[in-house]
Each structure stands twice: as structure tokens, then as C-alpha cells.
């Protein structure tokens, strides 16, 4: 067996292995290369012939159409079926929006300038570059109401939507603020309980819904923030899972600012309470001091005759008895008593009895 023969055999073996490797790569499913596929169906007669995929980098722009977030646009086929596919999404989960609208192309820039589009239908999904998501059309041409997804987080978002929808229905007919607060406590606790075990982006979706300033949920969120650990824990979970993403940094900043503001407001409220309490105590102290002064020894300028009348009043003498003892008229006694009242600032004989003059 020559070296040349061994070399040819080895080369042949390498060639066979190479072809087997190439064939196995060709037969691998598309998802092994990280290809996403998002597809669905709508009524082509209702929508403008295109569907849009946007990446949500600002969770305050979940509900709206924003051109700067748009990453892919596809046309509907004759049956209204659309399909987004490729391999350029993140390998980590992110929030995306799929939407269709009724705006003609020349109207879109004008209608979407502020992000508002009255004639659109959208669904928020959580996905990555390996996911497959199907959005089937339901009865009466309803769309974006359910999903078949390889990503459990998208299914969790649908669960959150159903909880929020059920919560809104329970508010019908409520008038009492106490009843409203109790209902909000109950339902937000359900959302927190559900969201704490899901992908942190699901928790972020819950937070965005409960802190919408245009709803009654926001005031309730502010009142309960310091007693609710869900939001602080969410910041920790987001930082651990998505710390480098802008959307996680956005939440951490916003949560910190709101926590600080509420703490400052609470401190201000306590300071005001302390100030009021201190003022009340000061006034009470002044009152006691005044009474003490009134009942303490005081230096008052009375005439010798008025001092005698003062001493006799303190001995429970009547005006008639004082007149007899001092050998003066009854009217003179009354004049002395009136002068004593005026000088001492009293209005009765009992008050005179409680004072001492030095």
C-alpha cells in the first residue's frame, strides 16, 4: 500500500463527508438559521392592501402608528393573506406591532404624523428571530384577536388583554370611589400575579397599560406604588434579562423618577402635617401660658383703696360688706370694682379670686 494510494483514499473520504455535511445543511429547517415567519389574514376589501411590522423601542408608543418604528411592509394577496419573514430580527425577545390600516399611501404621512390612526387594527407581539406566529381571521372578519405562536410571551400578552377587557366591563355602573378603588385593587393584583412569572416584557406591557395617564388606572397606580413590590421587582427582572436594551433602560429611568417624586410628595405631605401639628401645639402652649400668667402673681397698679377692695373680694365679701368695712358708700364700692375689672382684664369676681397682686 503506497503513500499515494493512502492520500487518494483520504481525499475521497473527506469529499464524501463534505457532501454529506452540505446536504444536511440544506435539509435543515429554516428556523435553524434563525428565520422568523409572522403571517395572518384580513379581509382585503376592508384594508388598504398592505400590512406593517414595527419594532417598539418606546413602550409609550404601543398604541399608535409611528413611521420611525416601521421595519417591514408587505402586500396582501388576493385572499388578504400577509407574511413577514426574514432573519434580521434580534435573537432576544422584543416587542413588535403588526398592523393594517385603511389609509391610502398618500394619506399615511398626514394621518400618522402624531401616531394616531383611527382606521387601523393592530396586535402587539413578543418575538425573536426564530419565532413563527400565525394570526388567523375569525368570524365576522375579526382580526388580531388570537394567535398561534412558538413564543409563549405573545400568548401571555393576549391573556393580559383579556384580563384588561374583563376589568373594564366590571366598571360599568360603578359610582362610588371606594367601590372603584376596591375593584382596581382586585384586578391589578390579578395582573401582577399573572405577570410576575412571565417574560419581563409581559410585565412591561402590563405596566404600560396601568400607567396610561388618560385612564383612571394611573391615579390608582400612583396611590399604590409604594405598597406594590411588582414594579420594583420588574425593574430588577428587566435589567437582568434585557439590561442593554433601550426599552429596559427607559422603564428603569421612569420607574426611578416616579418613585422619587412620590417619595418627595409623601415627605412634603408629612412635613406639612408636622408643621400643622407643631403650630397647633404652639397655640395650645400659648393658651396654657396665658392661663398660667392669668393665675400667677401679677404686678398691677391699683390705688390703695382698690387694693383693699381687691383683698376683700378675694375673701368673698359682698359689695355691701365691703362698703360697711371700709366706711364708704355702696356706689363707691361699685366704682372701685369696675376699675379693678378694667385694670386686671377680668369680667367676674371669680376671676379676681384666682389672681394675686404683688
Amino acid at each position: 500500500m503506497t503513500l499515494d494510494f493512502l492520500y487518494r483514499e483520504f481525499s475521497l473520504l473527506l469529499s464524501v463527508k463534505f457532501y454529506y455535511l452540505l446536504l444536511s445543511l440544506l435539509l435543515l429547517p429554516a428556523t435553524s438559521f434563525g428565520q422568523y415567519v409572522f403571517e395572518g389574514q384580513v379581509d382585503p376589501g376592508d384594508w388598504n392592501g398592505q400590512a406593517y411590522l414595527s419594532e417598539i423601542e418606546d413602550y409609550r408608543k404601543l398604541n399608535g402608528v409611528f413611521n420611525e418604528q416601521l421595519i417591514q411592509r408587505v402586500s396582501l394577496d388576493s385572499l388578504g393573506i400577509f407574511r413577514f419573514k426574514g432573519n434580521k430580527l434580534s435573537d432576544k425577545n422584543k416587542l413588535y406591532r403588526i398592523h393594517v390600516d385603511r389609509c391610502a399611501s398618500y394619506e399615511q404621512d398626514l394621518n400618522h404624523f402624531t401616531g394616531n390612526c383611527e382606521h387601523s387594527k393592530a396586535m402587539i407581539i413578543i418575538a425573536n428571530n426564530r419565532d413563527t406566529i400565525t394570526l388567523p381571521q375569525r368570524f365576522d372578519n375579526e382580526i388580531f384577536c388570537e394567535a398561534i405562536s412558538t413564543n409563549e410571551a405573545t400568548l401571555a400578552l393576549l391573556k393580559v388583554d383579556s384580563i384588561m377587557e374583563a376589568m373594564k366591563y366590571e366598571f360599568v355602573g360603578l359610582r362610588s370611589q371606594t367601590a372603584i378603588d376596591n375593584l382596581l385593587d382586585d384586578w391589578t393584583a390579578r395582573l401582577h400575579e399573572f405577570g410576575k412569572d412571565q417574560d419581563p416584557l409581559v410585565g412591561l406591557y402590563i405596566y404600560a397599560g396601568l400607567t396610561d395617564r388618560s385612564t383612571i388606572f394611573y391615579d390608582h397606580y400612583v396611590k399604590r406604588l409604594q405598597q406594590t413590590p411588582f414594579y420594583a421587582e420588574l425593574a430588577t427582572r428587566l435589567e437582568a434579562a434585557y439590561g442593554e436594551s433601550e426599552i429596559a433602560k427607559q422603564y428603569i429611568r421612569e420607574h426611578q423618577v416616579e418613585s422619587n417624586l412620590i417619595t418627595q410628595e409623601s415627605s412634603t405631605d408629612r412635613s406639612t402635617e408636622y408643621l400643622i401639628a407643631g403650630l397647633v401645639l404652639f397655640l395650645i402652649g400659648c393658651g396654657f401660658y396665658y392661663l398660667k400668667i392669668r393665675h400667677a402673681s401679677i404686678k398691677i397698679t391699683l390705688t390703695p383703696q382698690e387694693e383693699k377692695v381687691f383683698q376683700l373680694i378675694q375673701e368673698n365679701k359682698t359689695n355691701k360688706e365691703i362698703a360697711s368695712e371700709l366706711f364708704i358708700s355702696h356706689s363707691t364700692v361699685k366704682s372701685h370694682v369696675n376699675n379693678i375689672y378694667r385694670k386686671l382684664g377680668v369680667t367676674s369676681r371669680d376671676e379676681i379670686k384666682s389672681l394675686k397682686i404683688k
Side-chain angles (χ1 to χ4, degrees):
M1 184 177 295
T2 65
L3 289 176
D4 188 49
F5 174 77
L6 290 174
Y7 175 78
R8 286 198 304 273
E9 288 294 317
F10 182 69
S11 298
L12 180 60
L13 180 61
L14 287 178
S15 299
V16 171
K17 286 188 175 182
F18 173 77
Y19 286 124
Y20 271 116
L21 176 62
L22 180 61
L23 182 60
S24 62
L25 288 174
L26 291 174
L27 293 176
L28 280 174
T31 53
S32 299
F33 291 97
Q35 185 178 69
Y36 65 90
V37 178
F38 309 149
E39 59 186 359
Q41 184 176 17
V42 300
D43 185 345
D46 283 344
W47 306 101
N48 75 350
Q50 290 186 315
Y52 307 85
L53 176 65
S54 301
E55 179 180 331
I56 299 171
E57 296 179 340
D58 181 347
Y59 56 79
R60 293 302 176 193
K61 293 182 177 181
L62 281 173
N63 301 313
V65 179
F66 301 94
N67 289 336
E68 72 274 13
Q69 295 183 345
L70 183 65
I71 58 175
Q72 197 170 359
R73 176 187 326 217
V74 297
S75 297
L76 308 178
D77 68 13
S78 59
L79 298 177
I81 295 173
F82 62 86
R83 181 178 289 105
F84 301 101
K85 62 181 180 179
N87 61 355
K88 295 183 180 180
L89 299 189
S90 170
D91 288 332
K92 281 189 145 186
N93 279 350
K94 282 191 174 184
L95 285 164
Y96 297 94
R97 181 196 308 105
I98 295 174
H99 94 269
V100 291
D101 62 47
R102 293 188 176 92
C103 301
S105 58
Y106 64 88
E107 298 175 312
Q108 286 186 342
D109 288 342
L110 180 63
N111 291 345
H112 301 170
F113 179 71
T114 61
N116 297 315
C117 183
E118 297 179 1
H119 310 294
S120 69
K121 189 75 171 177
M123 182 175 190
I124 309 300
I125 61 173
I126 294 176
N128 58 59
N129 202 45
R130 299 174 302 278
D131 282 328
T132 298
I133 300 176
T134 301
L135 311 176
Q137 186 178 16
R138 296 177 61 189
F139 57 89
D140 296 331
N141 292 325
E142 288 188 13
I143 58 173
F144 301 159
C145 296
E146 63 178 284
I148 302 169
S149 175
T150 57
N151 196 315
E152 292 293 326
T154 285
L155 304 180
L157 292 187
L158 288 173
K159 177 65 175 178
V160 171
D161 287 340
S162 67
I163 294 174
M164 293 285 284
E165 196 66 24
M167 177 168 57
K168 292 175 184 177
Y169 278 111
E170 285 208 20
F171 278 99
V172 177
L174 288 183
R175 295 292 179 269
S176 163
Q177 187 59 49
T178 300
I180 291 173
D181 285 341
N182 289 339
L183 187 62
L184 285 170
D185 283 340
D186 181 37
W187 282 98
T188 52
R190 295 187 199 185
L191 285 167
H192 294 162
E193 184 65 24
F194 175 74
K196 72 178 184 179
D197 298 322
Q198 304 296 328
D199 186 294
L201 292 179
V202 177
L204 185 61
Y205 185 73
I206 292 171
Y207 167 78
L210 295 179
T211 56
D212 183 346
R213 292 172 184 262
S214 66
T215 69
I216 63 173
F217 302 135
Y218 180 73
D219 288 339
H220 182 268
Y221 157 77
V222 171
K223 286 191 292 186
R224 298 291 191 267
L225 177 58
Q226 290 185 311
Q227 295 81 38
T228 307
F230 175 81
Y231 303 106
E233 292 170 0
L234 177 59
T236 302
R237 293 169 59 214
L238 278 169
E239 186 169 23
Y242 303 104
E244 297 303 314
S245 69
E246 287 303 316
I247 204 166
K249 293 176 183 177
Q250 177 192 1
Y251 173 79
I252 293 168
R253 287 194 303 268
E254 184 172 314
H255 174 68
Q256 187 63 52
V257 169
E258 288 187 335
S259 298
N260 290 342
L261 285 176
I262 291 172
T263 301
Q264 290 172 8
E265 288 174 3
S266 178
S267 299
T268 301
D269 290 342
R270 286 196 296 270
S271 298
T272 303
E273 290 173 1
Y274 294 152
L275 180 62
I276 293 173
L279 181 60
V280 169
L281 290 174
F282 173 75
L283 293 175
I284 292 173
C286 288
F288 279 119
Y289 181 74
Y290 173 73
L291 292 174
K292 182 179 179 181
I293 292 295
R294 292 291 304 277
H295 290 81
S297 296
I298 56 176
K299 187 176 182 179
I300 298 293
T301 304
L302 298 179
T303 66
Q305 193 74 329
E306 288 170 349
E307 287 185 9
K308 292 177 182 179
V309 173
F310 176 85
Q311 294 295 336
L312 292 171
I313 290 174
Q314 290 198 323
E315 294 174 9
N316 286 327
K317 302 287 186 177
T318 65
N319 284 357
K320 185 177 180 180
E321 291 172 331
I322 293 172
S324 175
E325 187 168 331
L326 296 180
F327 302 103
I328 57 178
S329 67
H330 187 265
S331 62
T332 301
V333 173
K334 289 178 67 175
S335 178
H336 286 324
V337 170
N338 288 335
N339 287 338
I340 292 170
Y341 279 11
R342 176 176 54 79
K343 289 181 178 182
L344 299 184
V346 297
T347 58
S348 70
R349 298 172 84 89
D350 288 335
E351 289 187 75
I352 291 176
K353 293 174 188 177
S354 67
L355 299 176
K356 291 182 180 180
I357 294 181
K358 61 178 180 179

